Amino acid sequence: MRNETVRTDITVIGGGLAGVCAAIAAARLGQTVALVQNRPVLGGNSSSEVRVWVCGATAHGTHRYARETGIMGELFVENQYRNPDGNPYMWDLVVLEAVKAEANIRLFLNTDVHEVEADGDELNRTIRSVTGWMMGSERRLRFESQVYLDCTGDGLVGFMAGAKYRIGREARHEYNEEWAPETADDITLGSTLLFYTKDAGHPVRYVPPSFAKDITQTTIPVKRVIRSGDSGCHYWWIEWGGELDTVHDNERIRDELWAVIYGIWDYIKNSGKFDSANMTLEWVGALPGKREYRRFVGDYVLNQNDVLAQREFEDGVAFGGWSIDLHPPQGMYSTESGSKHLHADGVYHVPFRSLYSVNVNNMLMAGRDISASHVAFGTTRVMATCAVIGEAAGTGAALCAAKGVTPRELYASHCDELRQTLLRQDASIIGLRNADSLDLAQQARTSASSTLMRLSEESYGEERYRLTRDAALLFPVEPRLDGLELLLDADTATTVEVELWDTGRKENYLPHTLRASSQASVLPGRSQWVRFELAWTPDTAQNAFVIVKANDSVQLYHASEPLTGVLIFFNGLEPNAPSKLEYHGHSQPVIQWRMQRKTRQPFCFRADGDTSAYAPDKARNGYRRPYGGPQQWMSEPTPAGQEQWLQLDWEQAVRIEELQLIFNDDVNEDLINLHHHRTPFVTMPELVRDYRIEAWIDGQWQSLERITDNRKRKRVHRLSEPASSDRVRIVVEATNGSRHAEIVEVRVYGE
Ligand SMILES: Cc1cc2nc3c(=O)[nH]c(=O)nc-3n(C[C@H](O)[C@H](O)[C@H](O)COP(=O)(O)OP(=O)(O)OC[C@H]3O[C@@H](n4cnc5c(N)ncnc54)[C@H](O)[C@@H]3O)c2cc1C
C-alpha cells in the first residue's frame, strides 16, 4: 500500500459529463487539474456502465438551434462521426480520449474520494485537501489544490466540507413555484437500471431467477410501455426509490430494480404476448443510475420562474432547454404518467452564482448538484446541460486559480471576463456578443467572393405536405420583407391565408406578435407559385414566423435541400412518446409547433427583396450561434470544385499569430450519443471540409495553412511564424456536402 500526495491547481471530483467538461475547460486555460473518478470509466450516467443517453437543450428537437457547443458540442459531433450506431463502449472512448488529449489533466480512475479536510467557521469554510482510495492499486491519494469542484452528482465532497445543501422538494412559497408541493418534503426522483436485448438468431429459453417480480401483479403492464425490441433508455421509467434515500438505500433500490427487470423480461419472453422467441438479454445494468440527491446552496438558487421566464442574468454562463421533467414519487409503480413536462418558450440561462457554494469559499459545483430548486433541477439535470454547466464552472475555477480569488470575488469583479472567456472557448452562451479587445477582426472590414442575397428554396423532390393543419416557415428578415411566394398544389379553387408573426425574443422560434397577414385566391392546379403581399420591416433584424393556415385542398412542396436559417413547423402533431410515459400538455407553444424530422426539407418559397442576413460582416459581428437570424456568412450556391472566400482587411498591416475559425455545424440538428435517432450523415454537411488561410504578403496571396478533411466546428490556427499583413482570407475549397460556403466567426489575434 502507498500514500501519495497530488498537487494541482484544481481538483475535480466526479468524472460524469459535468466533471469531464469542467476538467477539460480548466486544463485548456492552462491550469493543472486532477480529475478523480471512482469508476473505471468516465461519463457517469452516460457511460457504458449505466447507458443513459445524453440529452440537452434541443429537448429531442423541441427547441431550435439549441444544440450545445463548446466541449459538449465537440463530444456530440465526434460521437456522431465515430459512433453512428450509438455503441456505449465507443461513447466511453470518445469521452476518455477527450480527457487524454489534455496534457494538463491527471486522470485518476477507480479512485473514490471519501475524506475531506476543511476548516473555517460554518459560514466561511475552506477545503484543504480531499483523499481517495484507488481500488485495485492500494494507493491512498491525497489531492491538494487551491480550488475544488464537486461533480460527484451525490455531493459527497461538499457535504463533508460542510457546504450547505438541500435534499428533496422545496415548499411552493419558497420560490413561488407552481410545480412545487404545498409543503417541503424529502421526495426525490428515483434511480433506474437499464437493460439491453438482442435477437440471437435462434430460439433462446429464459428461466427467470427466483427473485424476479411477477409484474402482472403490478400496474406496470397497463401503465407503462413494454415492447420486446426496446433497449436501454426506452426503459427509463424503470424507476424507484423517490420515497427512500437514494444514496443510503442504494443497495435496496438496486435489488428492487433487478427484480422488476428480470420480471419484465419474464413477461416479454414467457407471457405469449410478444414476438420474442429469439430475443435474449444482452446486458443488464448493475450500477443504479441516480437521478437526484444533494443540491448545494449557492449565492443564487435557480428556480422554476427563472426557467419559464427565460430570465437573463448578468452572470449567465450556460443555457439549458430540456423541459422541467418531474416524475411521480412512486416511480414505476405509480399509476400516473411516468413523467410530466413543462417547457419554456426557448432556451433558459444559468447564472454563475448557482455554480459555487454559498459557504465553502473554494468550492464550485457542476452537474446535478448545482444550486437549483427541485423543480428547476428537473431541467438542469440532463447531461448535456450538466456538461455545459461543467464547462462554465471549470472556466470559473481556472480564472479563480489564476487570479487567486474566490468564486464569489470572481463574480463580483471579473464577471465580464468570465463570460467573454467562455465565449472565446465556444461555450454554450446565447445572446452574448464578442467584446474581446484583443480580437483584431473587430477592426477589420469584410468582403467575400459571393454572398447569398435572395432567400428562396425552389428545387423539390417527391414530398408534399397536405395542409390539414396550420404549418409555418421561419426565415431571417434583414432589413425587410417585400412579399412572399409559396409553391403549392390546389385540388380546387380556394383561398390560402398566411400570417406573419415575429418571434419575440431572438432565441425563440415561436409566433409571438402578429405583424402582417395576407391571402391569395388560387385556382386548381399543380406546382403553382402563389404570391402573398406580406411586407414587414422589423426594427432590428429578426426572424419571421409565417403561418400558412390549414386548407385541406392545398399541398405545400418540401424542398430537396436545407438552407441555413430557414425552418419549418407543423401545428398540433401528436408528440412521439405516449402520454402514459410523457405528459407534455398540448397547450405549450413549443409542443404545438413541432419541427418533426423535416428540418432539412423546408417548404419551397421565395422571399422578395434582398437580404443581408448572410453578409460577410456576420462572421465578425460577435455572435457565434443563431440569434434572431443565422449570424454567419454564407456564399451563393457553388458548383463542386469552385472556391469561395471570406476576406478581412485592415487600414494598416497587423501582426497575426492566431486565427480562430468557427464553421457551421448546424446547431439545429439534434444529436444524441446513444442514438435516439440517427442522422443520415456522419459529418454535418455545412461544415467546411477543405480550406486555406491566406495572407497578402509582398503583393500576392500566400498560403499560411491548408486544411483538408475538417469535420470540426472550431479550428484554432496558431501560426508557426507570425505574419504581418493588411489582408487575410479564408478560402473554402470544399464543404462536407452543402452547396454553400459558411463561416460563423473569424477571430484574429496578434498576441
Ligand atoms: C435512469 C436515468 C435516466 C435519465 N434520463 C436522462 C436522459 O435521457 N438524458 C439525460 O441527459 N439525462 C438523463 N438523466 C439525468 C442525468 O443522467 C444526470 O442528471 C447526470 O448524469 C448528472 O451528471 P453529473 O455529471 O452531475 O453526475 P453523474 O452522471 O452521476 O456523474 C458523477 C460521477 O461521479 C462519480 N463519483 C461520485 N462520487 C464520487 C466520489 N466520492 N469520488 C469519485 N467519484 C465519484 C460517480 O461514480 C459518477 O461517475 C437520467 C438519469 C437517470 C438515472
Side-chain angles (χ1 to χ4, degrees):
M1 187 215 147
R2 282 195 207 147
N3 276 303
E4 296 169 44
T5 300
V6 178
R7 292 191 183 87
T8 52
D9 298 320
I10 295 166
T11 298
V12 178
I13 308 101
L17 290 188
V20 162
C21 292
I24 294 175
R28 287 182 179 175
L29 292 173
Q31 304 300 310
T32 55
V33 181
L35 174 58
V36 192
Q37 159 73 338
N38 63 3
R39 305 299 310 171
V41 289
L42 293 167
N45 283 342
S46 77
S47 73
S48 59
E49 291 193 313
V50 186
R51 305 191 183 192
V52 176
W53 56 40
V54 179
C55 302
T58 62
H60 289 331
T62 303
H63 290 303
R64 348 295 164 176
Y65 295 123
R67 201 182 72 241
E68 293 74 11
T69 54
I71 300 161
M72 186 63 237
E74 292 168 26
L75 296 174
F76 268 142
V77 170
E78 188 61 17
N79 186 68
Q80 180 200 24
Y81 179 75
R82 286 200 202 183
N83 186 18
D85 291 327
N87 180 325
Y89 299 106
M90 294 298 150
W91 169 250
D92 285 352
L93 284 180
V94 168
V95 179
L96 181 65
E97 275 213 280
V99 169
K100 283 190 177 286
E102 301 300 330
N104 282 337
I105 298 183
R106 290 181 67 187
L107 174 62
F108 298 86
L109 292 174
N110 291 312
T111 306
D112 190 45
V113 168
H114 52 259
E115 292 174 49
V116 174
E117 191 191 347
D119 54 30
D121 67 43
E122 196 190 326
L123 296 178
N124 190 19
R125 309 270 301 156
T126 305
I127 301 177
R128 302 295 174 193
S129 72
V130 302
T131 299
W133 177 257
M134 186 183 267
M135 285 166 281
S137 307
E138 297 191 359
R139 290 166 70 190
R140 185 168 179 273
L141 294 149
R142 177 186 161 94
F143 299 91
E144 293 180 359
S145 292
Q146 190 181 333
V147 186
Y148 296 82
L149 279 120
D150 186 329
C151 301
T152 61
D154 295 341
L156 180 65
V157 170
F159 169 74
M160 288 194 294
K164 294 194 173 166
Y165 68 94
R166 284 293 283 255
I167 294 181
R169 308 189 289 192
E170 288 86 354
R172 185 168 302 164
H173 67 83
E174 292 185 53
Y175 300 107
N176 195 22
E177 292 176 307
E178 201 191 328
W179 267 28
E182 210 55 59
T183 48
D185 58 34
D186 295 336
I187 301 275
T188 61
L189 301 193
S191 302
T192 290
L193 286 174
L194 301 172
F195 64 98
Y196 271 41
T197 65
K198 70 173 182 190
D199 188 331
H202 56 79
V204 179
R205 180 187 309 120
Y206 173 64
V207 180
S210 56
F211 59 81
K213 193 154 198 148
D214 177 1
I215 63 158
T216 62
Q217 300 305 305
T218 73
T219 55
I220 289 174
V222 184
K223 294 293 179 185
R224 297 295 179 257
V225 174
I226 298 177
R227 291 179 292 232
S228 89
D230 280 358
S231 272
C233 239
H234 291 120
Y235 285 106
W236 61 264
W237 52 262
I238 303 179
E239 173 177 357
W240 197 61
E243 296 170 304
L244 304 177
D245 180 315
T246 51
V247 165
H248 295 117
D249 294 322
N250 188 40
E251 297 283 300
R252 179 178 163 202
I253 293 169
R254 182 207 51 216
D255 288 350
E256 184 74 17
L257 295 170
W258 265 344
V260 167
I261 285 180
Y262 290 112
I264 289 174
W265 195 240
D266 187 27
Y267 183 65
I268 290 175
K269 288 290 288 182
N270 299 326
S271 69
K273 294 180 197 265
F274 299 88
D275 179 12
S276 61
N278 289 1
M279 297 299 288
T280 189
L281 281 178
E282 190 192 15
W283 168 87
V284 178
L287 183 70
K290 294 203 202 98
R291 286 187 177 79
E292 183 178 3
Y293 202 53
R294 296 185 188 91
R295 301 187 309 279
F296 293 113
V297 179
D299 273 357
Y300 188 78
V301 181
L302 190 74
N303 64 62
Q304 172 180 344
N305 300 307
D306 299 328
V307 170
L308 293 187
Q310 301 172 262
R311 180 171 167 193
E312 291 186 26
F313 297 98
E314 55 174 352
D315 58 334
V317 286
F319 67 74
W322 191 255
S323 56
I324 293 175
D325 170 2
L326 297 178
H327 303 180
Q330 303 77 20
M332 60 197 170
Y333 298 130
S334 167
T335 53
E336 292 172 40
S337 176
S339 61
K340 55 177 188 172
H341 298 256
L342 201 52
H343 298 264
D345 287 348
V347 297
Y348 61 85
H349 308 272
V350 179
F352 182 61
R353 282 164 298 155
S354 292
L355 311 188
Y356 60 86
S357 166
V358 71
N359 67 319
V360 179
N361 61 37
N362 62 345
M363 187 189 106
L364 296 102
M365 55 271 186
R368 57 190 166 89
D369 59 5
I370 65 162
S371 178
S373 69
H374 168 81
V375 179
F377 150 89
T379 163
T380 59
R381 68 194 183 87
V382 288
M383 283 181 278
T385 305
C386 291
V388 300
I389 287 171
E391 178 162 8
T395 303
L399 294 185
C400 287
K403 293 177 186 300
V405 298
T406 65
R408 183 174 291 135
E409 287 163 351
L410 189 77
Y411 158 69
S413 306
H414 308 281
C415 198
D416 288 344
E417 184 182 344
L418 170 63
R419 280 161 46 95
Q420 287 295 326
T421 305
L422 282 161
L423 200 61
R424 179 170 171 167
Q425 298 298 97
D426 201 29
S428 302
I429 298 193
I430 204 152
L432 181 69
R433 268 185 125 132
N434 174 13
D436 185 348
S437 56
L438 297 177
D439 174 16
L440 300 169
Q442 299 282 302
Q443 293 119 42
R445 282 186 316 274
T446 49
S447 56
S449 51
S450 79
T451 297
L452 186 81
M453 306 282 284
R454 303 289 294 189
L455 261 179
S456 70
E457 283 274 30
E458 298 189 23
S459 62
Y460 53 87
E462 297 297 310
E463 274 200 74
R464 311 280 182 269
Y465 176 69
R466 185 163 291 279
L467 262 176
T468 48
R469 303 156 186 264
D470 293 358
L473 176 71
L474 177 136
F475 54 87
V477 176
E478 182 172 358
R480 66 173 192 279
L481 177 72
D482 296 328
L484 179 75
E485 287 176 83
L486 292 172
L487 182 63
L488 50 82
D489 293 343
D491 302 339
T492 56
T494 185
T495 300
V496 179
E497 294 173 52
V498 296
E499 294 172 351
L500 188 155
W501 297 68
D502 71 22
T503 61
R505 299 171 70 125
K506 292 192 173 186
E507 64 268 53
N508 290 2
Y509 298 89
L510 290 171
H512 181 269
T513 304
L514 182 64
R515 296 292 178 177
S517 56
S518 175
Q519 57 183 46
S521 300
V522 181
L523 296 171
R526 307 276 147 218
S527 309
Q528 310 182 56
W529 280 104
V530 176
R531 188 183 153 78
F532 298 89
E533 299 301 329
L534 212 53
W536 185 40
T537 306
D539 295 342
T540 60
Q542 57 184 288
N543 288 311
F545 194 103
V546 175
I547 300 176
V548 190
K549 305 299 281 181
N551 185 329
D552 274 354
S553 57
V554 168
Q555 295 192 104
L556 298 176
Y557 282 58
H558 280 289
S560 52
E561 64 178 351
L563 188 63
T564 296
V566 176
L567 298 176
I568 57 170
F569 303 83
F570 304 89
N571 189 298
L573 294 177
E574 288 298 313
N576 300 333
S579 62
K580 56 184 172 178
L581 288 187
E582 293 179 19
Y583 178 73
H584 288 271
H586 285 230
S587 60
Q588 303 186 58
V590 288
I591 295 302
Q592 256 170 36
W593 288 104
R594 302 181 71 81
M595 285 189 293
Q596 277 194 315
R597 298 253 165 253
K598 296 285 186 199
T599 48
R600 291 186 160 266
Q601 294 165 270
F603 298 129
C604 288
F605 78 105
R606 296 178 189 143
D608 280 7
D610 283 351
T611 179
S612 44
Y614 305 92
D617 205 43
K618 299 290 177 187
R620 40 131 274 164
N621 77 346
Y623 290 118
R624 280 204 163 187
R625 54 185 305 133
Y627 185 64
Q631 304 295 356
Q632 58 158 61
W633 165 67
M634 183 154 86
S635 75
E636 291 274 22
T638 311
Q642 190 178 313
E643 296 180 343
Q644 296 278 356
W645 48 259
L646 176 74
Q647 183 171 323
L648 279 72
D649 286 70
W650 291 269
E651 300 280 337
Q652 291 170 344
V654 294
R655 178 186 153 87
I656 302 165
E657 283 196 356
E658 182 182 300
L659 271 100
Q660 276 195 18
L661 305 179
I662 301 290
F663 297 116
N664 178 18
D665 65 344
D666 188 10
V667 290
N668 191 52
E669 188 70 54
D670 186 26
L671 297 179
I672 308 287
N673 66 326
L674 303 183
H675 299 314
H676 183 256
H677 72 283
R678 282 179 75 147
T679 51
F681 34 78
V682 291
T683 304
M684 293 297 179
E686 291 77 13
L687 279 169
V688 168
R689 194 189 72 196
D690 305 333
Y691 62 98
R692 303 188 304 279
I693 298 171
E694 296 182 340
W696 185 256
I697 297 171
D698 296 335
Q700 60 181 341
W701 287 111
Q702 290 191 14
S703 180
L704 305 179
E705 293 243 8
R706 178 163 186 266
I707 303 297
T708 55
D709 296 327
N710 175 58
R711 53 188 164 81
K712 294 188 189 305
R713 164 185 164 86
K714 181 181 174 195
R715 298 295 304 243
V716 178
H717 297 282
R718 214 164 166 84
L719 304 181
S720 45
E721 284 289 315
S724 176
S725 177
D726 64 355
R727 265 169 267 180
V728 289
R729 65 180 190 178
I730 295 96
V731 182
V732 177
E733 299 175 2
T735 70
N736 281 287
S738 169
R739 292 196 298 140
H740 302 268
E742 304 181 36
I743 298 180
V744 177
E745 188 179 65
V746 181
R747 290 190 184 205
V748 180
Y749 292 99
E751 54 186 64

